[in-house]
Amino acid sequence: MSAAESFAAGNAAERLGAVSTGNALELRGVGKMFGALAAIEDVTLTVRSGERRAVLGSNGAGKTTLFNCITGDFLPTTGTIRLFGEDVTRFPAYERIRRGLRRTYQISLLFNGLTVADNVYLACRGVSRGRFSFLRPRRGDTLVARADELIEAVHLTASRDTAVANLSYGQQRQLEIALALAGAPRVVLFDEPAAGLSPTERAELVAILNGLPEHIGYIIIEHDMDVALRVAERVSMMHNGRIFKEGTPEEIENDPEVQELYLGGGDE
Amino acid sequence: MAVVEDRRAGVQPMWVERIPPVWWALGLILLTMPAWAGDFILFQVMGWTFILGIIALSLMFLAGYGGMVSLIQMSVAAMAGYMVAIFGASGVAEISMGLPWWLYIPIAIGVAALFGTIVGALAVRTAGIYTIMITLAIASAFFYFTRQNYTIFNGYSGFNLVVPPQLFGVDWRQAVPFYYLTLGCAAICYAAVVYVSRAPFGLALQGVRDNPRRMAALGFNVTAHRVAAYTFASVIAAIGGILLVWQNAQIAPGTAGIPAVIDILVIAVVGGIGRPIGPFIGALIYVVLSTFSPDLLTAFGLSGERFNLLIGLGFLAVVFFSPDGVLGLWERWQARRARMSDPLKGGGA
């Protein structure tokens, strides 16, 4: 379908190129300045469709800024961002989301005045038609059903009608993930999903991530090496706003330079 | 600013069964009121309450669900009133066009909605106090413009003899018909706001209020959503404005002067902006105070014009003791009563 579409669109070469490389995300020379401070600099990163990537780095390395540039929370100062072959560098966040990009936030950004069900329903609505609908959902509405499935997937069914403000921290983190999986996500950015979770909750998170359908790729920022190396196929290391190393989890784990920088000289 | 609305989605009983008895009682009182209340109460007190309540409801929708405190609502209402006078019939024959009602009412609502949408498009790029400032600035500009413009708005004197159409052989400016007209419009506006608050549009607006950044990250165009909220609120304000010009039979710049603009804010805040019923409670308090306090004040040997003092003191008291308005006081009282009668926690019963 995508091939036929691109021929019809007339820029077949460009589209086919994108399809054949199958890249979910392509960042070229992306930089973001806050005043004179470069939060990230010259970041070039390619993530294939369906690939699971971890981004590691110390605090202030620019990981969350990188996410904010990819989702369009901030516009990058330099460079280009391509999402499934399409240049989205200047697109507002909602246009990128409608193209299959999703993200979670490090500090839960939820709708505190609304219930769990309403939160997830909004997430499902946001990526479908009828965002401006003045008609209430009817009984048996597919989006309401889809929202309930997501709520079940993140084990929040018992808290379905609870206001978000009354959820525990761990439950809020689970709801974050449900919001990011609404609709038909193709690439998801997880910003430290395990932060503040108990060991049991961590195990559950790893299970949720590994249980995602194969066509859904993701990038995960994670401090916990244990989590990161168990859910990622490839790892990118960030330091001082730059990506300085990329490889498989084993390569990264055994890299002396990485050990020095990230693990503080490695375990003696 | 948590909204305490009916949260049950999913499987629900019949909607009729879900209406609490208080509402049945209220409905009965309002519907039978003409049988036992005088014309003054019907037309002046209740009619005015419903009209101010509708206009304040449009502010409640923006502020309570959208987190946007707009001071333009009275001006939008006045714009609709002016359009009724200009496109319909009035005592100023050289300006008024005398179109039929089925033409000038949609025009009035349309022009007012357009006006409110344009103001909204400017205002949604600001937040908090700046939204208040920009809408107040435009409201002042509207007031001075109508006062100085004679070709369209007939300047200082405005329009007189603007009356509702004689529909179905009824003079809608008589106390009883006008009472039912305003009651009906208020009920429809109220129901529309309640309904929309649980529809995708209203839910998303509350999402925008709680967390605009996350809404964008869920695929919503936050700016467009806020502007659309202004459009919806403007339609409601316009309905109030049309009723207002019919009730007064005239409209002049003072209708949307700064005091009137502030009054709408006071009404909404005193009643409570958390729920759509709040503005009507606020409007009733405001109207009762401004209607009867002159008598009360003169009885105490004070000047009758000091009724604004009472309203001001009442406003201060509410803001100090119950930031969520009279409605908030009521809810807290209910919660306390429920606690008191709980045998586990001691107290009554």
Side-chain angles (χ1 to χ4, degrees):
Chain A
M1 188 202 88
S2 59
E5 225 175 44
S6 13
F7 277 119
N11 54 356
E14 193 187 330
R15 286 295 185 103
L16 279 179
V19 169
S20 65
T21 53
N23 286 332
L25 274 169
E26 281 175 80
L27 278 67
R28 291 238 173 82
V30 171
K32 175 68 191 174
M33 305 284 291
F34 291 108
L37 176 81
I40 55 173
E41 239 176 316
D42 194 26
V43 170
T44 295
L45 176 73
T46 305
V47 178
R48 283 175 293 106
S49 291
E51 182 183 330
R52 277 108 202 253
R53 172 78 58 109
V55 175
L56 301 181
S58 50
N59 283 327
K63 305 182 299 290
T64 298
T65 304
L66 178 67
F67 272 19
N68 285 334
C69 286
I70 296 175
T71 48
D73 284 40
F74 311 149
L75 291 183
T77 319
T78 57
T80 59
I81 298 169
R82 300 178 87 83
L83 183 63
F84 299 103
E86 188 178 11
D87 187 344
V88 298
T89 316
R90 298 280 136 198
F91 280 24
Y94 63 86
E95 287 288 358
R96 305 180 193 205
I97 301 302
R98 291 176 195 178
R99 282 165 172 74
L101 181 69
R102 299 284 187 279
R103 84 170 285 186
T104 70
Y105 288 84
Q106 186 179 358
I107 300 155
S108 294
L109 285 183
L110 302 163
F111 310 111
N112 287 326
L114 300 176
T115 62
V116 169
D118 288 344
N119 270 264
V120 182
Y121 178 72
L122 276 181
C124 295
R125 241 328 148 180
V127 287
S128 59
R129 285 151 186 260
R131 280 174 284 261
F132 287 89
S133 173
F134 277 72
L135 297 179
R136 289 186 184 183
R138 294 191 195 177
R139 207 166 301 180
D141 184 280
T142 48
L143 286 182
V144 173
R146 179 77 190 107
D148 282 338
E149 281 168 34
L150 278 169
I151 291 169
E152 205 185 328
V154 295
H155 314 295
L156 284 176
T157 308
S159 312
R160 185 183 182 280
D161 296 323
T162 311
V164 166
N166 300 329
L167 290 184
S168 74
Y169 179 79
Q171 287 174 316
Q172 294 195 359
R173 302 302 301 167
Q174 281 159 284
L175 183 56
E176 268 288 325
I177 292 175
L179 294 193
L181 296 179
R186 296 202 281 172
V187 56
V188 189
L189 313 181
F190 292 106
D191 195 346
E192 294 204 37
L197 295 188
S198 70
T200 334
E201 287 168 330
R202 269 165 205 248
E204 207 166 273
L205 174 75
V206 170
I208 290 176
L209 291 178
N210 284 331
L212 286 178
E214 254 178 48
H215 70 275
I216 300 180
Y218 57 74
I219 308 181
I220 180 169
I221 295 177
E222 192 44 70
H223 273 302
D224 186 340
M225 278 285 208
D226 240 24
V227 173
L229 301 180
R230 265 193 293 161
V231 297
E233 298 157 2
R234 286 186 75 76
V235 180
S236 298
M237 290 297 305
M238 275 190 93
H239 188 65
N240 285 340
R242 289 168 181 276
I243 289 186
F244 77 95
K245 196 136 274 174
E246 199 180 302
T248 63
E250 295 79 40
E251 283 165 14
I252 294 293
E253 212 172 2
N254 300 322
D255 190 283
E257 204 182 351
V258 170
Q259 285 186 349
E260 191 171 328
L261 265 170
Y262 190 67
L263 304 173
D267 302 310
E268 295 301 309
Chain B
M1 243 200 292
V3 180
V4 197
E5 267 299 319
D6 187 1
R7 291 240 162 74
R8 293 162 297 175
V11 192
Q12 295 172 343
M14 281 285 293
W15 65 273
V16 182
E17 298 169 55
R18 288 188 293 128
I19 300 174
V22 180
W23 286 97
W24 289 108
L26 183 66
L28 201 67
I29 292 172
L30 289 175
L31 283 174
T32 58
M33 205 171 207
W36 45 268
D39 282 0
F40 177 77
I41 297 288
L42 290 180
F43 186 82
Q44 207 53 48
V45 176
M46 294 314 290
W48 199 22
T49 295
F50 292 137
I51 291 167
L52 289 179
I54 291 171
I55 300 170
L57 176 68
S58 77
L59 170 59
M60 176 272 143
F61 181 78
L62 287 175
Y65 294 140
M68 301 177 282
V69 180
S70 154
L71 292 184
I72 203 68
Q73 302 315 112
M74 191 65 220
S75 310
V76 171
M79 178 66 104
Y82 267 114
M83 290 305 123
V84 166
I86 291 165
F87 288 96
S90 81
V92 188
E94 51 273 30
I95 295 176
S96 291
M97 294 170 164
L99 296 178
W101 66 271
W102 48 267
L103 214 51
Y104 73 67
I105 290 177
I107 291 176
I109 293 176
V111 171
L114 184 67
F115 174 54
T117 306
I118 293 169
V119 174
L122 290 169
V124 296
R125 279 150 222 287
T126 61
I129 190 130
Y130 301 101
T131 310
I132 299 177
M133 294 291 289
I134 197 166
T135 49
L136 181 62
I138 299 170
S140 322
F142 179 77
F143 167 67
Y144 286 109
F145 183 77
T146 52
R147 207 166 70 163
Q148 287 161 10
N149 179 288
Y150 278 85
T151 45
I152 302 171
F153 291 98
N154 202 31
Y156 202 80
S157 42
F159 297 85
N160 59 355
L161 300 175
V162 188
V163 291
Q166 297 272 348
L167 213 56
F168 313 117
V170 178
D171 179 0
W172 291 95
R173 238 187 133 247
Q174 290 297 311
V176 174
F178 190 77
Y179 170 79
Y180 280 119
L181 177 67
T182 50
L183 173 62
C185 289
I188 290 169
C189 291
Y190 173 80
V193 167
V194 169
Y195 181 85
V196 167
S197 73
R198 300 290 312 155
F201 177 76
L203 269 184
L205 188 63
Q206 293 167 67
V208 168
R209 171 200 65 199
D210 285 356
N211 207 325
R213 186 172 163 202
R214 186 51 182 265
M215 283 304 276
L218 291 180
F220 287 91
N221 183 343
V222 169
T223 307
H225 225 91
R226 284 180 168 149
V227 174
Y230 268 91
T231 311
F232 179 74
S234 299
V235 170
I236 289 174
I239 292 169
I242 293 171
L243 294 171
L244 186 64
V245 69
W246 284 345
Q247 191 195 30
N248 294 334
Q250 61 97 35
I251 187 160
T255 306
I258 299 307
V261 165
I262 302 293
D263 283 346
I264 294 299
L265 178 69
V266 170
I267 287 169
V269 171
V270 165
I273 55 167
R275 286 217 262 165
I277 196 68
F280 292 100
I281 296 171
L284 183 64
I285 294 171
Y286 175 88
V287 169
V288 166
L289 274 181
S290 63
T291 310
F292 297 109
S293 62
D295 300 336
L296 194 73
L297 287 168
T298 31
F300 281 97
L302 290 160
S303 162
E305 297 92 68
R306 295 278 168 85
F307 82 90
N308 272 319
L309 183 71
L310 279 185
I311 292 176
L313 287 175
F315 179 69
L316 274 181
V318 165
V319 171
F320 268 120
F321 297 112
S322 176
D324 41 2
V326 175
L327 209 59
L329 280 179
W330 165 260
E331 271 159 8
R332 274 198 294 280
W333 181 71
Q334 289 269 316
R336 210 173 116 195
R337 220 181 44 159
R339 225 176 22 248
M340 291 292 277
S341 60
D342 187 343
L344 286 176
K345 289 177 185 150

